[in-house]
Amino acid sequence: MASSWLSFSLSFLLVLHGTFAQQRYQQQQGECQLNRLSPQEPTTRIQAEAGVTELWDQNNQQFQCAGVSLIRHVIQSRGMLLPSYVNTPLLAYVERGRGFYGIMQSGCPETFQSSQQMQQGERGAGSRFQDRHQRIGQFRQGDIIAFPAGAAHWAYNEGNEELVLVCLEDSSNNANQLGQFSRRFFIAGNPQQGQQQQGQYGGKSLRRERFESGNVFNGFDVEVLAEAFGVDREIARRLQGQDDQRGHIVNIQQGLRVVRPPFSQEQEEREERQEQGQYGPRMNGIEETICSAKVRQNIDNPSRADIYNPHAGRFTTVNSLTLPILSFLRLSAARGVLYRDSIMAPHWVTNAHKVIYITKGESRIQIVDHRGQAVLDDRVRQGQVVVVPQNYAVVKHAETEGCEWVEFNTNDNAMINTLSGRTSAIRGLPVDVIANSYQISRDEARRLKFNREETLIFRSSGRARSSERVAAA
């Protein structure tokens, strides 16, 4: 009897799992039936004391197809994004500025510590005050920073210019168990005090899904908080942030005083050499733990380019092979630069959706679906976003201004297949197959196959024949 019941239970669970899997598959299939793509701009703007957060519409079909959402934080000098955590993995690109950040994981050691002599009258002369906390990282323009799902984090702008962080949240990741949208949980402040603005962001009704209310302490009883932290009621009440009018980005007039090592130009150069394997043993990820994992890599330095053409531009990737934590997040990123009158070869990504954010200039982007229909043919300018679904063919053509962009991929090792150039699908075909496929002569087929010697980036005139340098991964 017990054996029969166990057999029935297992069969029921298998059927139930199959039903849910089929529903999820059908839902995802429907979400990516896109007849038209268009460049996207932020639809919601939330103002805080020391900065502003701009959000793209999570309900947009293109973002739902990719299963992601996009946020841009603009933080003023000496501004701090309050600690929070998200139900999804997050990749941040530092578009402009510099600063430092912290990622908190319960159980990780407090490896940053200090002590200092107290002033006369503070806890008695001669006493020492110590601070200990989890490690802090520093960032600069061009860095990609990886934040695991559920890991509390914060960021501070220590520079004299605005800090701009462009963040992708992957709500389709298995780490998210809360539905199709990302949700941000603040553990400090009172985010609902931020002012939502429409203005240039559209006249329709806008929602603030990710900044709807106060911090998580606000829902607990004050007495419970006081007991949990061993503090009085007033401090417990301050934890809840009910009287905090600053919003989610706050100004720190005197500057943030934390324990952190100095970060010099020499150190930056040493890190770049380590990333390129120029000295010392290369890390393979096995040595890392969740507490010690490297979470930052710069992709702006031309010397790190994977594809480089001095006459046309460059393309730099960061994936789980160069930043092992990305295998845990199942995300990757790339940085592209096209000079004037240059083209990134027509290509498709075999295993990921791609979200392209233009950081400078503009480019004519064409995207073609499985029916051979152009679902996008438009000039995409700075600050706009384009979603390229998996396997859709895309080509970029930078004209007078040139174009720079960062792209986020929903796979930790996104793979590109090209349609033209030295490593393309056309180059891999026999001449006779090309001639018969396109009804052209063998000479024409040969020219079609061999005319382009570059791999990915080339001048649009067709006259430039510069050799590309493919950097070792």
Side-chain angles (χ1 to χ4, degrees):
M1 179 68 179
S3 177
S4 299
W5 174 251
L6 178 61
S7 177
F8 171 77
S9 299
L10 289 174
S11 300
F12 176 75
L13 288 173
L14 287 172
V15 171
L16 190 63
H17 175 76
T19 301
F20 286 151
Q22 181 67 17
Q23 288 176 348
R24 180 175 175 83
Y25 173 77
Q26 291 175 346
Q27 181 183 22
Q28 289 178 343
Q29 287 294 96
E31 288 175 351
C32 281
Q33 296 299 321
L34 300 171
N35 296 321
R36 197 71 188 166
L37 299 174
S38 59
Q40 298 296 307
E41 296 186 4
T43 56
T44 306
R45 178 184 175 94
I46 302 176
Q47 184 71 48
E49 178 188 57
V52 62
T53 293
E54 299 163 314
L55 300 90
W56 278 258
D57 184 9
Q58 290 190 106
N59 296 297
N60 182 275
Q61 283 187 326
Q62 298 172 62
F63 293 116
Q64 288 193 2
C65 168
V68 301
S69 54
L70 210 66
I71 293 177
R72 181 168 59 209
H73 298 295
V74 181
I75 303 174
Q76 298 170 8
S77 179
R78 295 191 177 183
M80 182 178 72
L81 178 65
L82 290 175
S84 64
Y85 58 91
V86 190
N87 61 314
T88 69
L90 184 151
L91 271 189
Y93 173 71
V94 184
E95 182 178 359
R96 187 169 69 248
R98 62 184 177 88
F100 48 90
Y101 65 92
I103 301 177
M104 290 75 72
Q105 295 274 15
S106 292
C108 291
E110 298 169 332
T111 53
F112 282 33
Q113 51 192 317
S114 72
S115 61
Q116 65 184 37
Q117 194 76 22
M118 300 297 291
Q119 297 295 323
Q120 182 75 23
E122 297 184 44
R123 296 186 183 179
S127 64
R128 301 177 70 86
F129 170 75
Q130 293 186 340
D131 187 21
R132 298 183 299 274
H133 53 73
Q134 293 185 22
R135 66 182 183 135
I136 288 176
Q138 306 192 44
F139 58 78
R140 58 190 172 92
Q141 181 174 319
D143 280 347
I144 287 285
I145 312 171
F147 298 92
H153 56 273
W154 54 270
Y156 174 73
N157 179 4
E158 68 169 343
N160 295 322
E161 63 174 341
E162 287 184 335
L163 169 65
V164 181
L165 301 174
V166 181
C167 306
L168 177 121
E169 299 170 346
D170 181 19
S171 55
S172 62
N173 193 283
N174 289 334
N176 173 28
Q177 303 293 312
L178 289 179
Q180 62 179 328
F181 294 130
S182 63
R183 305 182 194 179
R184 183 172 291 271
F185 299 77
F186 279 91
I187 59 177
N190 192 9
Q192 65 184 345
Q193 293 302 317
Q195 299 179 2
Q196 178 181 349
Q197 300 176 0
Q198 294 183 16
Q200 60 181 326
Y201 294 83
K204 62 181 181 180
S205 176
L206 301 174
R207 296 170 57 193
R208 300 189 318 189
E209 298 95 340
R210 286 161 276 181
F211 296 83
E212 289 180 331
S213 56
N215 75 60
V216 295
F217 292 122
N218 187 56
F220 291 117
D221 182 79
V222 172
E223 294 288 350
V224 173
L225 287 177
E227 185 66 26
F229 283 92
V231 296
D232 59 41
R233 285 174 52 89
E234 177 58 23
I235 295 179
R237 191 183 66 81
R238 297 296 293 269
L239 274 177
Q240 296 180 323
Q242 294 179 0
D243 300 327
D244 195 337
Q245 304 296 315
R246 300 173 299 171
H248 62 289
I249 304 175
V250 303
N251 183 39
I252 303 176
Q253 289 285 353
Q254 72 279 14
L256 196 62
R257 293 176 290 182
V258 296
V259 182
R260 60 190 178 100
F263 197 65
S264 64
Q265 182 65 33
E266 180 182 353
Q267 181 181 351
E268 292 181 8
E269 294 172 355
R270 183 167 62 251
E271 287 185 359
E272 289 167 0
R273 288 195 296 270
Q274 287 175 334
E275 289 170 4
Q276 297 171 43
Q278 293 181 8
Y279 72 87
R282 290 183 64 88
M283 304 292 284
N284 60 18
I286 298 175
E287 302 89 346
E288 295 185 344
T289 68
I290 192 63
C291 297
S292 64
K294 180 181 177 181
V295 299
R296 178 185 64 86
Q297 184 167 306
N298 192 277
I299 57 174
D300 260 12
N301 191 333
S303 67
R304 281 207 65 253
D306 297 295
I307 303 292
Y308 176 66
N309 184 327
H311 300 285
R314 66 181 186 269
F315 190 72
T316 309
T317 61
V318 54
N319 54 35
S320 57
L321 300 177
T322 58
L323 191 62
I325 195 174
L326 294 179
S327 63
F328 180 63
L329 272 63
R330 304 294 298 170
L331 294 170
S332 59
R335 173 78 164 140
V337 176
L338 282 179
Y339 304 153
R340 177 178 179 177
D341 294 328
S342 297
I343 288 179
M344 185 172 183
H347 64 277
W348 74 94
V349 178
T350 64
N351 57 352
H353 301 303
K354 178 162 56 176
V355 180
I356 301 171
Y357 172 82
I358 305 297
T359 60
K360 185 177 180 182
E362 69 172 23
S363 175
R364 182 185 178 188
I365 299 180
Q366 295 177 288
I367 302 174
V368 177
D369 65 9
H370 63 286
R371 301 163 301 174
Q373 301 294 317
V375 292
L376 174 70
D377 185 356
D378 203 349
R379 282 178 172 79
V380 186
R381 65 179 184 274
Q382 181 177 344
Q384 292 184 322
V385 170
V386 169
V387 175
V388 183
Q390 175 193 9
N391 286 333
Y392 279 45
V394 56
V395 63
K396 301 183 186 74
H397 182 194
E399 298 177 347
T400 56
E401 297 182 44
C403 181
E404 300 181 12
W405 71 93
V406 61
E407 57 187 54
F408 302 98
N409 302 302
T410 59
N411 190 295
D412 61 285
N413 191 15
M415 301 175 65
I416 290 179
N417 275 4
T418 53
L419 286 165
S420 66
R422 181 158 49 88
T423 58
S424 67
I426 297 296
R427 189 68 173 259
L429 293 173
V431 169
D432 264 13
V433 171
I434 297 174
N436 285 280
S437 295
Y438 300 108
Q439 301 183 75
I440 58 180
S441 69
R442 286 177 57 86
D443 285 342
E444 291 170 328
R446 191 174 292 107
R447 288 198 299 272
L448 181 67
K449 178 176 179 176
F450 293 108
N451 266 6
R452 281 293 183 187
E453 287 301 319
E454 305 94 332
T455 55
L456 187 65
I457 296 173
F458 42 83
R459 296 282 290 181
S460 62
S461 65
R463 293 188 295 271
R465 287 292 181 268
S466 59
S467 60
E468 288 184 317
R469 173 174 61 85
V470 181

